Amino acid sequence: MKAMKRERNGGIWDFELGIAPASGGEDLILGLDGGTTSTVCICMPVFPFNDGSLPPDPPPVLARAIAGCSNHNSVGETAARETLEHVMAEALSKSGSTRSSVRAVCLAVSGVNHPTDQERILNWLREIFPNDVRCFVHNDAVAAMASGTMGKLHGCVLIAGTGTITYGYTEDGREARAAGAGPVLGDWGSGYGIAAMALTSVIRAYDGRGPQTKLTSSILQELKLSSPDELIGWTYADSSWARIAALVPVVVSCAEGGDEVANGILLDAVQELAESVKAVVSRLGLCGEDGKDTCPLVMVGGVLEANRKWDIGKEVINRVSKEFPRIHPIRPKVEPAVGAALLAWNFLKEES
């Protein structure tokens, strides 16, 4: 029987007291996707490691839990850790299992940008789980990539949700990234970047420093405000990135309605996202020396969803394809948290 770690965090693991310890039962993997808006944890069984074996497509998910932001750069380290621990405990509780059943944990969270970030979170995970549990910590782009490639790390992934980042991986282990430095240092093309530009355009129009735009009336109506003056108070009352980014659908609607300012904002976003992808593909040579080789491009995030006439994701692909004609866009069939679990499964398979 695995030795359980000390109780922590106000009895968050008390549910385990009512569950018999695992003895020869099903081994589990926890996969976590921690973004700026939400954090998802899924519980997946460990599949057999036969030669050439592949996980089921789609893999079964035994339980799923969701919580708020776990990016330590956004909410602080204490709150981020509390969110992550709560969501893991909830997923295990829903599956009727305890930490003694866990074989591996793969945590992919935004804000993990340096080996020191990884080591700090790994040490924290080791305080929670038994010593023989394999723990892996990555940026959330890794889970997004794995969700489109069934746990394999090769190709390029573009995430454009509240924030944005582009990551690339080669089969020999090299990697590169572009953007993803947060709103101050340049998350242009992200939901936050698009919405922030829209808010700026409304203020500029109100001041007489920029062209008039339908964004003014549409955003005021969405926020139930009566004057652009009130946008200042609304913005700084709670400047969370996700709250600002929630205005992206308003910008898209205005662009679809023919507003030139909104259209220009989206075109700028497309340009920024495409340049990030092209930079990563070029640095790693993912499409070969002549740019004509095939390379998967996993596309994840609400900004890239293909459900509007003004399709940002489609426009990004069109721009990238001009330089890399055999880029192969993939819209994952499973969510990034499942990708994280599949990544852990592949790691376990390689070690077996």
Side-chain angles (χ1 to χ4, degrees), residues 36-352:
T36 307
T37 303
S38 63
T39 301
V40 176
C41 177
I42 67 99
C43 187
M44 185 183 84
V46 177
F47 315 114
F49 303 125
N50 301 324
D51 288 341
S53 63
L54 296 173
D57 185 9
V61 173
L62 303 177
R64 181 180 188 270
I66 188 167
C69 175
S70 56
N71 183 326
H72 66 92
N73 291 326
S74 180
V75 297
E77 190 157 324
T78 300
R81 287 185 175 189
E82 184 173 318
T83 296
L84 291 167
E85 188 165 4
H86 271 281
V87 80
M88 288 188 292
E90 184 180 348
L92 279 173
S93 176
K94 284 182 174 180
S95 72
S97 304
T98 70
R99 287 171 287 175
S100 63
S101 299
V102 176
R103 180 116 174 244
V105 179
C106 183
L107 193 162
V109 61
S110 62
V112 174
N113 300 311
H114 191 272
T116 56
D117 297 326
Q118 288 179 304
E119 191 60 31
R120 191 169 62 251
I121 297 174
L122 277 171
N123 289 337
W124 168 71
L125 284 174
R126 290 175 184 131
E127 293 177 5
I128 299 174
F129 290 94
N131 295 331
D132 59 348
V133 174
R134 296 288 284 117
C135 296
F136 309 97
V137 175
H138 298 280
N139 186 277
D140 61 334
V142 175
M145 164 66 81
S147 71
T149 60
M150 293 299 285
K152 298 292 185 181
L153 289 183
H154 172 249
C156 188
V157 58
L158 169 63
I159 301 177
T162 298
T164 183
I165 191 168
T166 302
Y167 253 90
Y169 307 88
T170 64
E171 292 179 334
D172 61 0
R174 292 179 297 120
E175 61 185 78
R177 61 175 282 176
V184 175
L185 297 178
D187 257 356
W188 311 125
S190 69
Y192 179 93
I194 290 169
M197 288 300 297
L199 290 170
T200 301
S201 296
V202 170
I203 297 298
R204 287 175 61 85
Y206 184 64
D207 289 346
R209 294 181 291 122
Q212 294 302 305
T213 169
K214 291 179 183 177
L215 288 168
T216 299
S217 58
S218 296
I219 289 178
L220 292 179
Q221 181 178 355
E222 176 72 16
L223 301 179
K224 297 179 173 57
L225 302 177
S226 57
S227 167
D229 279 338
E230 298 176 30
L231 279 177
I232 300 172
W234 179 87
T235 300
Y236 294 110
D238 177 4
S239 58
S240 74
W241 305 341
R243 178 171 173 261
I244 303 294
L247 292 172
V248 168
V250 178
V251 184
V252 175
S253 293
C254 287
E256 291 178 344
D259 185 79
E260 292 186 5
V261 173
N263 193 65
I265 290 171
L266 296 186
L267 287 174
D268 287 345
V270 167
Q271 178 70 15
E272 291 288 346
L273 296 173
E275 289 301 322
S276 292
V277 172
K278 290 191 290 184
V280 168
V281 172
S282 295
R283 283 160 60 190
L284 293 177
L286 291 171
C287 286
E289 292 184 5
D290 61 357
K292 300 298 191 295
D293 291 354
T294 300
C295 169
L297 171 60
V298 180
M299 304 180 72
V300 176
V303 170
L304 302 173
E305 289 179 0
N307 57 359
R308 304 294 294 265
K309 184 171 67 175
W310 216 119
D311 190 331
I312 296 174
K314 181 180 178 181
E315 294 301 321
V316 170
I317 294 168
N318 289 341
R319 295 269 182 114
V320 174
S321 296
K322 290 178 181 178
E323 190 166 333
F324 302 108
R326 299 193 66 190
I327 200 85
H328 174 56
I330 299 173
R331 296 186 185 271
K333 298 176 183 178
V334 299
E335 64 180 325
V338 176
L342 290 170
L343 190 64
W345 182 84
N346 275 300
F347 286 144
L348 290 178
K349 181 182 176 182
E350 291 172 2
E351 293 174 353
S352 65

